[in-house]
Amino acid sequence: MFDRKHSCVVVVGAQWGDEGKGKLVDVLAEQADVVVRYQGGANAGHTVVVGDRQFVLHQIPSGILHAGAICVVGNGVVLDPETFFAELDELGGQGIDVAGRLFISDRAHVVLPYHKLLDQASEKHQQIGTTGRGIGPTYEDKIGRRGVRVADLCRAETARAMLAERVERANALLQLLGSAQRASLEEHLELVERLSVRLRPLATDTGRLVFRALRDGRRVLMEGAQGALLDVDHGTYPFVTSSNTTAGGAAIGAGIGPTEIDGVLGVVKAYTTRVGNGPLPTEAKGEVESRLRDLGGEFGATTGRPRRCGWFDATVVRYSVRVNGLTGLAVTKLDVLDSFDEIPVGVSYRLDGEECDDVPSDVELLERVEPVYETLPGWGKSTTSARRLADLPPQARAYLDRLQDLAGAPIRYVSVGTRRDQIIEV
Ligand code: GDP
Ligand code: IMO
Ligand code: MG
């Protein structure tokens, strides 16, 4: 994706999350100078496998495993400082040195314990199936202009005054929501006291850092979290996360202008998964779903929940190409389909007897659509050692060609296993 004309590339999930963004960011970070996470928070779980070691990153960019990469948590992220430092310490324990190359935007909003209580209390009223990480309430506070930012935490006096007011407000809300839980001001003050010391040296104007890197001819990779169908504007609202997961969010969440972005890589699984509630038109049932789940290891990297599984939905990916402006696709987990005799692909929908080739805005309509399937022959061979397209069985290549035609964007990468080296560059 990087070349002389492309120095700022965004990696986004083009389905419902967990497409393998972490793996692709790790692969591409080899060529990048700066890697920026631009939205979401500890709801994300990005898995990177290097040799026989597995790393699950939630808030730290997946570029961190490359010693030369500068990693940035952008202003669009909602930062949970407690779990952020736990993640950092775990990486340190695994021998990953981040000293001097990890920065956090001082404009990023902070997830506090009361946000998590509110997230859990809200779930009792509206079952979205959130990760319970306080994401929605933190973004609500940001938009409501009552958020607490990293810059605020760095100033002890300001933080104390803000917290007294915010905790009282959160407790009133918890009561309104019928929750017996209450946030403790002491716990918040202690947390801030303990973590602001560690936060201060990492906090900076990261938008300026990224801007300067681009101006100096450096390569910048932007790492999205979640997927297009979880975008608060373009996803299956209200069954979405609370941020703009699509590529437009990258400029805002990293603090640069949209004209800096040269390419957008959409990561898609060779099939479809979703965690949490909401429509999933090509969801498989019974044994087929369990087989996909077992073969793909489809259990949430953050919550451990079993992922709902189904066939590739070309309508969703076509839509994702449109709302993200995708310039390329990375198809992951092709190897998971190795043993299937036949592979259905959802090519469009039928809605009340009419053909429908786009994702309807109304979630109730999307619940009602019936996918139109085309069945492609399987290849019945392992693809895990393929490193060039030519190494793949002809049926696997035909499968990829069909996905590319239906999606309307060129396939640039094919992933055939969890490990860093199990990748085909097209
Ligand atoms: P992300 O949230 O988009 O980064 O994706 P996750 O890490 O949550 O989920 C993707 C899972 O699939 C992880 O366990 C990866 O190790 C794994 N994975 C990624 N690419 C491949 C692949 O090509 N084949 C197989 N079998 N697993 C893969
Ligand atoms: P990565 O980055 C898959 C889903 C939750 C829920 C909805 C709202 O690993 O792809 P939230 O906690 O964000 O308010 O939950 O979004 N969700 C994800 N699903 N992958 C993720 O992240 C997700 N992050 C949130 O399951 O349905
Ligand atoms: Mg994930």
Side-chain angles (χ1 to χ4, degrees):
M1 290 296 285
F2 286 113
D3 55 37
R4 277 203 303 155
K5 285 211 203 111
H6 298 87
S7 54
C8 184
V9 172
V10 184
V11 174
V12 291
Q15 294 159 323
W16 275 278
D18 303 324
E19 298 91 347
K21 298 174 291 294
K23 169 168 176 173
L24 262 295
V25 168
D26 173 67
V27 166
L28 288 169
E30 169 97 65
Q31 308 160 41
D33 300 296
V34 182
V35 183
V36 191
R37 249 297 287 280
Y38 61 83
Q39 45 71 231
N43 49 351
H46 297 177
T47 315
V48 180
V49 181
V50 185
D52 53 10
R53 294 208 296 168
Q54 173 170 297
F55 302 84
V56 183
L57 299 152
H58 300 283
Q59 298 187 79
I60 297 177
S62 304
I64 202 76
L65 304 176
H66 292 273
I70 289 176
C71 289
V72 169
V73 176
N75 58 275
V77 170
V78 286
L79 181 88
D80 179 340
E82 184 95 280
T83 56
F84 177 86
F85 287 113
E87 196 175 324
L88 194 58
D89 294 341
E90 208 177 309
L91 280 179
Q94 289 170 289
I96 309 297
D97 183 15
V98 304
R101 62 182 186 98
L102 180 62
F103 300 95
I104 299 174
S105 169
D106 51 10
R107 289 180 167 87
H109 281 248
V110 181
V111 182
L112 290 160
Y114 64 77
H115 291 121
K116 294 180 206 170
L117 294 179
L118 286 168
D119 191 355
Q120 284 146 23
S122 305
E123 273 292 297
K124 301 232 159 65
H125 297 263
Q126 194 187 22
Q127 283 94 38
I128 302 296
T130 73
T131 60
R133 298 298 190 268
I135 304 298
T138 309
Y139 279 116
E140 277 179 50
D141 279 356
K142 172 177 175 170
I143 302 301
R145 296 169 296 193
R146 66 185 98 83
V148 177
R149 305 200 298 175
V150 167
D152 301 319
L153 284 203
C154 293
R155 284 182 288 129
E157 260 320 297
T158 315
R160 272 195 287 273
M162 281 179 122
L163 285 179
E165 199 267 325
R166 303 303 193 270
V167 167
E168 193 183 326
R169 185 177 184 279
N171 282 337
L173 272 177
L174 285 166
Q175 184 168 24
L176 202 67
L177 289 166
S179 166
Q181 303 252 46
R182 292 293 176 269
S184 141
L185 179 58
E186 285 68 40
E187 185 201 342
H188 280 78
L189 292 174
E190 181 278 323
L191 181 138
V192 167
E193 203 72 46
R194 183 162 45 87
L195 297 175
S196 57
V197 187
R198 297 189 72 184
L199 213 44
R200 233 174 264 135
L202 306 182
T204 187
D205 182 343
T206 52
R208 187 167 65 170
L209 185 157
V210 178
F211 177 80
R212 287 185 170 172
L214 286 168
R215 194 192 56 190
D216 294 344
R218 308 243 183 274
R219 288 172 164 181
V220 174
L221 186 61
M222 308 240 243
E223 174 176 359
Q226 292 81 51
L229 278 293
L230 289 172
D231 183 288
V232 68
D233 283 271
H234 305 295
T236 50
Y237 193 90
F239 300 101
V240 292
T241 191
S242 298
S243 64
N244 285 116
T245 60
T246 44
I252 294 171
I256 55 167
T259 47
E260 302 282 358
I261 297 170
D262 305 304
V264 185
L265 182 71
V267 187
V268 292
K269 271 177 193 167
Y271 50 99
T272 306
T273 65
R274 169 168 205 167
V275 205
N277 302 329
L280 183 60
T282 59
E283 188 164 16
K285 297 277 175 274
E287 268 180 35
V288 175
E289 187 184 31
S290 329
R291 194 167 158 207
L292 278 169
R293 185 180 297 129
D294 291 345
L295 288 168
E298 298 296 354
F299 295 89
T302 297
T303 58
R305 290 179 288 177
R307 295 176 182 147
R308 298 156 64 193
C309 301
W311 302 114
F312 188 86
D313 185 337
T315 314
V316 156
V317 178
R318 214 160 37 233
Y319 174 74
S320 211
V321 169
R322 170 162 72 85
V323 296
N324 283 294
L326 299 184
T327 57
L329 291 173
V331 178
T332 63
K333 304 191 98 160
L334 184 70
D335 55 294
V336 173
L337 302 180
D338 283 351
S339 63
F340 285 87
D341 295 332
E342 291 186 324
I343 308 169
V345 171
V347 294
S348 66
Y349 301 141
R350 285 192 84 72
L351 178 61
D352 302 331
E354 303 269 315
E355 173 99 12
C356 167
D357 67 354
D358 211 341
V359 176
S361 316
D362 185 343
V363 83
E364 282 184 23
L365 297 184
L366 191 61
E367 284 284 9
R368 284 215 331 258
V369 299
E370 288 169 28
V372 176
Y373 288 106
E374 194 175 287
T375 302
L376 278 79
W379 42 93
K381 272 195 198 84
S382 170
T383 55
T384 54
S385 343
R387 296 293 176 270
R388 295 170 308 150
L389 270 188
D391 299 335
L392 290 174
Q395 298 91 332
R397 293 186 62 173
Y399 183 73
L400 293 170
D401 286 344
R402 188 66 184 129
L403 299 195
Q404 174 169 278
D405 283 351
L406 288 165
I411 295 177
R412 303 292 307 272
Y413 297 91
V414 180
S415 173
V416 291
T418 55
R419 289 198 323 267
R420 190 184 261 177
D421 63 299
Q422 290 179 303
I423 193 94
I424 298 171
E425 193 173 344
V426 178

